[in-house]
Amino acid sequence: MTAIPNLYLKWRAFRELADVNDPDNWIGNHVFKTEDGAQRFSKLLRGDLGCSPVIAQDLTRFMNDWIGVARSRAEKGAATDGAAAPALEPADLELPVLSFVTRLLGALGGAATRNLDRAHQALLRDMTLEPPRGHDNPRLVVERFSASRSFGADVQPSGGTGPLVFEVGKHKGQLAVIAAKGAPVAAYTFFTRDPAPIGKHLWDLSWGETMLWLPAPIVPTLSDGRLLLLRQAEPVNPMPGRFIVTCALVWQKEAIARLDPRGATPSAGIMDEAETSRFLTNLRRLTEDKLRKWTGAVAVAQAEYVVKA
């Protein structure tokens, strides 16, 4: 049985696009047909449990039933945009996330605008992580520079009046963490691109266009009380859209093994889709830490900016 670490993202899109109102607890008991079905289903979605052929068949059967219901509702309201693609197959569960959403939309024969927007926002929330509220948390700032000079009147921290807007070819940018409690043992920084400002949904792009990484883990440079995530200001990436930057600062070396899907001593690099999905799950668990075993081990900071072509 192979685990599917990004299944929770596919399931989230399915629930929103097909207007599923059955709770996950009930669905888990229905699919697994056991008393602990709800717990097993949760583990399945998060990649903690392998997806056997029997479970994959039962899950896609359940999804196809709901797709049929959604199509019937849409046809009554004339919301479909064409003939449906073939029903989902168990192998579709292994597709990349955004390819799966495209396949799902094909099976649905389209979706209402409200469902498309809802699925887009739900995926966006699950492809990032909002830091906990608090005055003593570290803050991530985005700094903007003119491409022809260094610090000057153009430099502004993000926040307050809204995200900074970068123009390709005109601005450079720097990322820094302020109000941190010293230098962390490691930092992980990734960018989640929201293409809504250019009139697209997440699944209109590839995973590599929506999730971008700085090589991680790294140890940020401490300069005048600021943790620099880049060695120097760099030209903005020429990809228009809204970017949400998330930085996870690790304070305890032992926490790396619980956070990084590549192991306790990973080399700095870029995580692929499966690794990123697993990383997000691990990061949520460490920051929520219901048993308080990892309290203070990881801190999350976030900022955003906009790129204009």
Side-chain angles (χ1 to χ4, degrees):
M1 298 189 297
T2 302
I4 308 175
N6 56 16
L7 185 58
Y8 68 96
L9 293 169
K10 300 167 190 175
W11 183 254
R12 174 75 75 174
F14 163 70
R15 287 196 64 100
E16 301 297 344
L17 291 172
D19 265 330
V20 177
N21 54 31
D22 288 333
D24 279 356
N25 287 349
W26 182 89
I27 295 170
N29 290 330
H30 173 76
V31 171
F32 281 93
K33 301 177 179 63
T34 59
E35 291 184 359
D36 64 344
Q39 292 83 0
R40 296 179 71 181
F41 187 60
S42 178
K43 291 181 178 181
L44 176 75
L45 294 181
R46 289 291 173 177
D48 298 324
L49 184 68
C51 187
S52 70
V54 172
I55 293 301
Q57 187 69 51
D58 287 347
L59 185 56
T60 50
R61 185 183 298 117
F62 176 88
M63 297 172 81
N64 284 324
D65 287 345
W66 263 104
I67 288 170
V69 171
R71 279 196 59 82
S72 178
R73 291 172 179 168
E75 286 165 1
K76 290 179 181 179
T80 57
D81 59 6
L88 296 180
E89 298 288 344
D92 291 329
L93 299 178
E94 299 279 358
L95 287 172
V97 171
L98 303 179
S99 297
F100 174 83
V101 178
T102 300
R103 172 75 176 87
L104 176 60
L105 284 168
L108 285 164
T113 299
R114 68 177 184 278
N115 294 75
L116 294 171
D117 292 343
R118 206 167 60 197
H120 174 93
Q121 291 300 326
L123 280 174
L124 197 61
R125 286 192 299 271
D126 275 355
M127 290 166 65
T128 183
L129 186 86
E130 185 175 349
R133 299 180 183 276
H135 296 293
D136 58 345
N137 293 327
R139 290 199 301 119
L140 178 62
V141 294
V142 179
E143 298 169 333
R144 185 180 61 190
F145 307 80
S146 167
S148 61
R149 57 193 170 95
S150 58
F151 280 99
D154 242 0
V155 179
Q156 301 176 31
S158 64
T161 59
L164 291 179
V165 176
F166 288 80
E167 294 183 38
V168 176
K170 180 179 179 181
H171 295 128
K172 290 183 178 182
Q174 173 64 281
L175 296 172
V177 176
I178 61 176
K181 57 178 184 181
V185 298
Y188 293 79
T189 305
F190 62 94
F191 302 67
T192 309
R193 181 188 180 195
D194 177 6
I198 59 173
K200 294 181 180 293
H201 292 105
L202 288 165
W203 48 88
D204 294 323
L205 307 176
S206 68
W207 178 268
E209 293 174 303
T210 58
M211 291 293 288
L212 302 98
W213 278 91
L214 289 181
I218 64 164
V219 178
T221 302
L222 183 60
S223 175
D224 295 327
R226 300 159 68 247
L227 296 173
L228 302 182
L229 300 178
L230 299 173
R231 292 183 178 179
Q232 58 187 8
E234 297 181 359
V236 66
N237 194 321
M239 300 170 67
R242 168 180 168 247
F243 289 81
I244 304 168
V245 191
T246 305
C247 179
L249 301 172
V250 183
W251 305 106
Q252 297 178 20
K253 186 175 181 180
E254 297 77 16
I256 293 178
R258 298 298 297 266
L259 177 63
D260 197 317
R262 299 167 299 179
T265 56
S267 299
I270 309 302
M271 295 193 202
D272 61 21
E273 180 175 329
E275 290 167 339
T276 300
S277 301
R278 185 74 237 182
F279 176 88
L280 287 167
T281 291
N282 294 344
L283 182 58
R284 281 189 173 86
R285 288 175 175 168
L286 281 175
T287 54
E288 292 171 359
D289 189 22
K290 296 178 181 178
L291 298 178
R292 298 187 179 278
K293 180 180 179 181
W294 297 100
T295 299
V298 178
V300 176
Q302 193 176 93
E304 62 179 86
Y305 62 92
V306 173
V307 175
K308 291 174 57 178

